[in-house]
Amino acid sequence: RGDSADFDKEVESICPFCGVGCQVSLKVKDGKVKYVDGINGPANEGRLCVKGRFGFDYIHHEHRLTKPLIRRDDAPAKGLNVDPGNWQTHFREAEWDEALDFAAKGLKDIGGTGVAGFGSAKCTNEEAYLFQKLIRQGFGHNNVDHCTRLCHASSVAALMENVGSGAVTATFNQIENADVAIAIGCNPIENHPVAATYFKQFTKRGGKLIVMDPRGQALKRFSSHMLQFRPGTDVSMLNAIMNVIVEEELYDQQYIEAYTENWEAEKEHLRDFTPEAMAEVCGIEAETLRDVARTFAGANAAMIFWGMGVSQHIHGTDNSRCLISLALMTGQVGRPGAGLHPLRGQNNVQGASDAGLIPMFLPDYQSVMNDGVRSAFTEVWGSEDFSNQKGLTVTEIMDAVHDGDIRGMYVLGENPAMSDPDVEHARDALAKLDHLVVQDIFITETANFADVILPASAFAEKSGTVTNTNRQVQMGRPAVPPPGEAKEDWWIEVELAKRLGLGWDYAGPADVFAEMKLNMNSLNNITWERLERENAVTYPSLSPEDPGQAIVFADGFPRPDGRARFTPASIIAPDDVPDQEYPMILTTGRQLEHWHTGSMTRRATVLDGLEPEANCSLHPLTLRKLGVAPGEHVRLTTKRGSIEIMAREDRAVSPDMVFLPFAYVEAAANILTNPAVDPYGKIPEFKFSAVRVEAAAQD
Ligand code: SF4
């Protein structure tokens, strides 16, 4: 590794991958990042996982975009057909002025609701803020969204409805003050590895960890209870646990009376969900459900963590409603070691949502339907009013493209050609667009369909703030310059806005942050200068000296009368249930070494070396039945499509299930997934599709 004398400089920044938000030191030599170390950030205290420590060299990959590209007149028809190392058949290089003029003119010519925007949780807060402003100010509507729609939109819908705030009520580090914790529908050892180290420490000092997941997982080894329930039956299992708490009067009457509403309706609703009746549905024995109920209700301080396994269902909002009700009825919010914590997936999905990169909310979750809110923003922006209607979400935008209602798109850092459910539908939509502007660091699958590609910056090449799962706003700093003529994203957005006639004038991200503060109370007492000095401040911060509140809602909730709400949830079956033709259950997710659509981690030498090949996980009994040996290929077929992929033996997956990571373009999981959405969060049901698994012809 060498010591500091071996490097030209060391720059402190933030890991670009998961929502834990580990602080890193980037060691630079000869204009390149050579090593990464963990430093003492509030979320990681020096720790890093394999992605943070070894997954950085994609920033120097030969596929990096170094010049703006414009689609050639004689390019082949739009499709997933560009070789990122040999793109000259499809695109020609252009100067920045030409590319920006071309990008802006195409969007302007279409104009109004004919244009939509996808930002990204990989954006900094300032970039996300500018992006939503560009769509709202430039096109007069709210058709702007990002990948939060595909991860925790249903959790946020339930939290906003019942608690009045979409963010966590306590940092994950608060687990050190808990004696019981539930981790449901999340797999932190793979997906939030540094957070998982705190979970393990918690169990080592005697904390009881209740893991609930249809798939077994490494955290099982540390758990007091492992509930491997039937996929899609979260509501029945959680309602049964709450039924026990009601029937045995284990709830916190004092807390309920002081801080909640609608308790009687919830209590009545739960009467029918007896453990005996629900055991049949969820596959967990009644006595285990009782034991879990008593353990959780008997805790002095308890936390609930959840992930995509809860949110990515057509009943994702109901799943989260149950978790919120469980915490409220036991008074487990607003104290040290108590709270609700949806583990956020991307390093800035919290911040991008806070910054208004969503179709129903302006920054700080202020409704676009509120006239006073819109006028507060247009006053700062010096612009006309814009639509008071909620905009379209990610999947709705793709449908609108198919219908011909949207003909132009601006996509910054998002990769819908890989990340959308039923992805062939999304790819067809992208091919139909009259004008697609893509801003990214590589020719992603989405950039394959672009009319113009604007080369942007990786995390180690730019300034900006990001907000992690803990509500910690943290400072990212540039360690190396962008390659070739690539630019920082905020600069590209500003130049595009100028060409759209918006008259923007920012000297840099600090200027943008200052503007954000004018209409975002969450940033009170947090300044750019303070973040440069302190690296991280948690919101809310109550004074210029306050490092921020790790726990919120000790004295009530940001809802009418300060009361949180119980919203009863009923059982809704998954949309695409197994039948004779598609008898098994497909579930998708991440794996430790790869991240999201793989555009970064599959170009990181160590990570790609560890996991170079697309794979799915099947139970040994299933493999035996198919006559397939581990390492051989299977064919997975759903109502949407079919892929062939290498099969891995995994006892954690039940015999009627297949687990499929979504990072691999050559066997794209989302060719198979179901686009049906939760009615509140509009999140697709990535976690449950009926699938047929067969042996494939072996190589
Ligand atoms: Fe990066 Fe997340 Fe790993 Fe931390 S836990 S190093 S933020 S990927």
Side-chain angles (χ1 to χ4, degrees), residues 14-15 58 110 235 297 350 356 373 391 507 534 613 665 679 682:
I14 312 299
C15 172
Y58 71 88
I110 296 167
V235 168
Q350 182 65 57
V373 165
E534 299 176 25
E613 189 178 349
V665 63
K682 305 281 178 77

Side-chain angles (χ1 to χ4, degrees), residues 57-78:
D57 64 338
Y58 71 88
I59 63 178
H60 303 307
H61 194 277
E62 59 181 355
H63 289 170
R64 280 295 302 272
L65 288 160
T66 57
K67 283 274 281 187
L69 302 178
I70 292 178
R71 182 168 284 275
R72 294 170 63 111
D73 294 336
D74 59 352
K78 285 184 179 179

Side-chain angles (χ1 to χ4, degrees), residues 122-336:
K122 293 195 283 287
C123 298
T124 64
N125 290 325
E126 296 74 33
E127 292 157 6
Y129 174 85
L130 288 180
F131 193 87
Q132 58 83 34
K133 177 177 172 181
L134 184 145
I135 296 295
R136 290 180 162 124
Q137 188 185 14
F139 298 97
H141 56 72
N142 299 295
N143 293 343
V144 59
D145 205 358
H146 78 294
C147 43
T148 191
R149 192 67 40 214
L150 309 175
C151 67
H152 263 305
S154 52
S155 310
V156 172
L159 286 164
M160 292 293 291
E161 172 189 54
N162 298 297
V163 177
S165 161
V168 300
T169 72
T171 62
F172 67 75
N173 314 71
Q174 278 300 313
I175 198 169
E176 70 185 16
N177 297 314
D179 50 341
V180 175
I182 288 177
I184 175 169
C186 56
N187 187 356
I189 287 183
E190 300 240 357
N191 296 329
H192 302 85
V194 167
T197 63
Y198 291 85
F199 289 28
K200 292 181 209 167
Q201 283 176 329
F202 156 77
T203 62
K204 279 192 180 149
R205 62 166 180 75
K208 286 187 177 154
L209 181 64
I210 301 164
V211 179
M212 302 172 170
D213 195 332
R215 195 161 62 106
Q217 54 166 282
L219 214 47
K220 177 180 180 178
R221 206 153 53 85
F222 300 87
S223 67
S224 59
H225 303 71
M226 175 75 206
L227 276 58
Q228 204 165 338
F229 61 101
R230 289 202 183 101
T233 63
D234 315 53
V235 168
S236 60
M237 178 180 68
L238 294 168
N239 276 355
I241 290 166
M242 290 192 284
N243 168 285
V244 175
I245 292 172
V246 169
E247 293 303 323
E248 298 187 8
E249 297 187 358
L250 303 174
Y251 47 83
D252 185 339
Q253 185 68 35
Q254 218 177 347
Y255 184 88
I256 291 167
E257 281 174 13
Y259 295 116
T260 71
E261 64 181 34
N262 211 32
W263 168 238
E264 289 305 321
E266 175 78 27
K267 210 162 127 184
E268 199 45 46
H269 178 77
L270 291 170
R271 297 254 182 235
D272 293 337
F273 292 86
T274 63
E276 282 70 25
M278 292 305 106
E280 290 288 309
V281 182
C282 67
I284 303 297
E285 286 180 7
E287 248 340 280
T288 306
L289 295 169
R290 283 208 167 80
D291 189 31
V292 166
R294 290 167 191 152
T295 303
F296 190 82
N300 289 318
M303 292 189 73
I304 302 177
F305 299 92
W306 72 97
M308 310 289 93
V310 163
S311 61
Q312 290 176 331
H313 285 282
I314 60 164
H315 47 83
T317 302
D318 280 331
N319 292 348
S320 295
R321 285 170 174 156
C322 290
L323 297 173
I324 294 164
S325 293
L326 177 59
L328 293 177
M329 71 171 60
T330 48
Q332 294 294 1
V333 181
R335 290 182 289 112

Side-chain angles (χ1 to χ4, degrees), residues 416-556:
M418 278 290 284
S419 58
D420 270 26
D422 188 10
V423 77
E424 295 293 11
H425 175 83
R427 291 173 185 172
D428 287 348
L430 292 168
K432 272 189 176 182
L433 286 167
D434 291 340
H435 190 67
L436 173 59
V437 180
V438 173
Q439 180 173 326
D440 216 309
I441 62 173
F442 296 115
I443 300 181
T444 59
E445 290 72 21
T446 300
N448 273 239
F449 298 85
D451 294 281
V452 52
I453 306 175
L454 307 172
S457 295
F459 82 105
E461 298 156 0
K462 62 184 173 188
S463 298
T465 65
V466 289
T467 306
N468 69 359
T469 189
N470 279 347
R471 295 182 267 103
Q472 284 148 351
V473 185
Q474 307 200 86
M475 180 59 81
R477 299 182 180 85
V480 291
E485 294 177 25
K487 297 281 190 188
E488 289 195 42
D489 292 80
W490 74 269
W491 181 90
I492 303 171
E493 292 171 282
V494 169
E495 289 301 314
L496 204 53
K498 282 180 185 167
R499 286 161 173 82
L500 291 169
L502 305 185
W504 289 8
D505 184 19
Y506 299 98
D511 264 10
V512 183
F513 190 81
E515 181 179 307
M516 292 168 70
K517 282 174 59 64
L518 297 175
N519 273 317
M520 289 182 73
N521 289 339
S522 63
L523 298 179
N524 287 351
N525 297 309
I526 307 176
T527 62
W528 186 269
E529 294 70 28
R530 198 177 162 197
L531 289 169
E532 279 196 321
R533 213 171 44 242
E534 299 176 25
N535 274 353
V537 181
T538 305
Y539 76 76
S541 166
L542 305 183
S543 72
E545 292 76 39
D546 176 21
Q549 302 293 301
I551 302 153
V552 290
F553 311 147
D555 296 316

Side-chain angles (χ1 to χ4, degrees), residues 18 113 185 221 306 370 385 387 491 532 558 563 617 632:
C18 88
T113 53
R221 206 153 53 85
W306 72 97
N370 183 312
D385 195 10
S387 173
W491 181 90
E532 279 196 321
R563 288 175 179 275
S617 301
E632 292 187 337

Side-chain angles (χ1 to χ4, degrees), residues 15 17-22 47-49 51-53 191-195:
C15 172
F17 296 113
C18 88
V20 172
C22 297
R47 308 166 207 197
L48 291 180
C49 78
K51 285 194 287 289
R53 193 173 294 281
N191 296 329
H192 302 85
V194 167

